[in-house]
Amino acid sequence: NAGVMQNPRHLVRRRGQEARLRCSPMKGHSHVYWYRQLPEEGLKFMVYLQKENIIDESGMPKERFSAEFPKEGPSILRIQQVVRGDSAAYFCASSPPANSGSYVQYFGPGTRLTVT
Amino acid sequence: AQKVTQAQTEISVVEKEDVTLDCVYETRDTTYYLFWYKQPPSGELVFLIRRNSFDEQNEISGRYSWNFQKSTSSFNFTITASQVVDSAVYFCALSGGDSGGYQKVTFGTGTKLQVIP
């Protein structure tokens, strides 16, 4: 029973390039969340998605960042024109449907983005 | 607004000592969930426990125990007879549910625990 999968695990981009981070939720999970962890800090919520819907993007920067969770395939967090301040660990989490009564979010191993 | 405070930034203990990690939270929701996660040096996040706001029973799982006190808005985590493998950053987290917003989890800044052999 595979857990939440994220790839790549490490990503290096030069300033101005685009970064694409992928997340496949656990089997049976229909909710996906993205969090960002800056060095020496806790995780900060970015966005919550269900299939083909963005439910809550209150933590997403207004520019350059976007997220999607298509009907087929993984969820994608896209960062355009990356800057050094985007260097962080990006974690994806998934949870089962709300009617399951379980509100636990299970996290992937994270993608460490380094912008040079 | 929700807030989770982990006042202890770093703790060092000698192996086999007991250690308690403090967590204080703030929320206006009457229904909410509290969590603890462990982040070992390898970087992944490992779920440890979930507690809902209606259940103030303390929980024990092996060497781990959790003390939830609604009166003081605290959800402390104790490791008994610590081991080197317990060395990690531990995060306390909260999600509120009055508005159906269980999904957004607020994390504390973490407590880095170092267990010295």
Side-chain angles (χ1 to χ4, degrees):
Chain A
N1 189 12
V4 178
M5 314 262 287
Q6 287 189 250
N7 67 80
R9 294 291 304 274
H10 299 273
L11 182 61
V12 180
R13 284 286 177 265
R14 290 200 195 95
R15 276 182 298 168
Q17 291 185 318
E18 178 178 286
R20 279 193 177 208
L21 288 63
R22 291 176 187 76
C23 168
S24 296
M26 283 178 73
K27 191 175 179 181
H29 286 192
S30 52
H31 301 207
V32 165
Y33 316 82
W34 286 94
Y35 292 83
R36 177 164 64 175
Q37 184 179 30
L38 293 169
E40 309 297 322
E41 292 188 16
L43 280 77
K44 294 284 197 294
F45 169 83
M46 298 180 74
V47 62
Y48 159 46
L49 311 104
Q50 295 177 20
K51 286 281 186 184
E52 300 183 281
N53 278 307
I54 297 174
I55 308 301
D56 182 348
E57 57 181 347
S58 56
M60 286 276 271
K62 294 286 185 281
E63 296 177 351
R64 302 186 298 109
F65 285 72
S66 62
E68 61 176 9
F69 189 16
K71 192 175 180 182
E72 301 290 339
S75 175
I76 308 280
L77 178 68
R78 185 182 291 109
I79 311 172
Q80 295 177 303
Q81 298 173 333
V82 295
V83 301
R84 288 229 172 93
D86 296 332
S87 294
Y90 292 83
F91 287 92
C92 170
S94 72
S95 66
N99 60 11
S100 71
S102 169
Y103 299 100
V104 178
Q105 296 182 15
Y106 294 91
F107 284 79
T111 293
R112 273 134 191 96
L113 172 67
T114 302
V115 179
T116 61
Chain B
Q2 298 178 119
K3 187 177 179 183
V4 177
T5 301
Q6 295 180 257
Q8 302 150 309
T9 308
E10 287 193 45
I11 302 176
S12 287
V13 298
V14 176
E15 203 171 18
K16 294 184 185 162
E17 286 184 348
D18 298 348
V19 58
T20 295
L21 309 182
D22 297 332
C23 173
V24 174
Y25 62 91
E26 296 174 31
T27 180
R28 290 201 181 103
D29 289 328
T30 53
T31 306
Y32 51 89
Y33 285 88
L34 294 160
F35 307 85
W36 276 94
Y37 287 88
K38 174 182 179 180
Q39 187 175 43
S42 50
E44 73 273 22
L45 274 162
V46 178
F47 165 74
L48 295 177
I49 190 172
R50 181 200 77 175
R51 170 67 71 222
N52 76 51
S53 51
F54 295 113
D55 183 2
E56 285 195 71
Q57 263 194 333
N58 292 330
E59 182 154 342
I60 298 174
S61 176
R63 296 184 296 108
Y64 295 171
S65 61
W66 290 270
N67 184 316
F68 174 30
Q69 293 203 346
K70 222 166 171 178
S71 59
T72 55
S73 297
S74 65
F75 186 42
N76 296 339
F77 174 29
T78 297
I79 302 175
T80 304
S82 60
Q83 299 176 1
V84 173
V85 291
D86 296 328
S87 297
V89 179
Y90 290 86
F91 291 99
C92 181
L94 161 73
S95 69
D98 280 1
S99 55
Y102 287 107
Q103 298 83 1
K104 185 173 176 178
V105 178
T106 300
F107 282 80
T109 50
T111 296
K112 185 174 183 179
L113 173 65
Q114 185 177 13
V115 181
I116 303 164

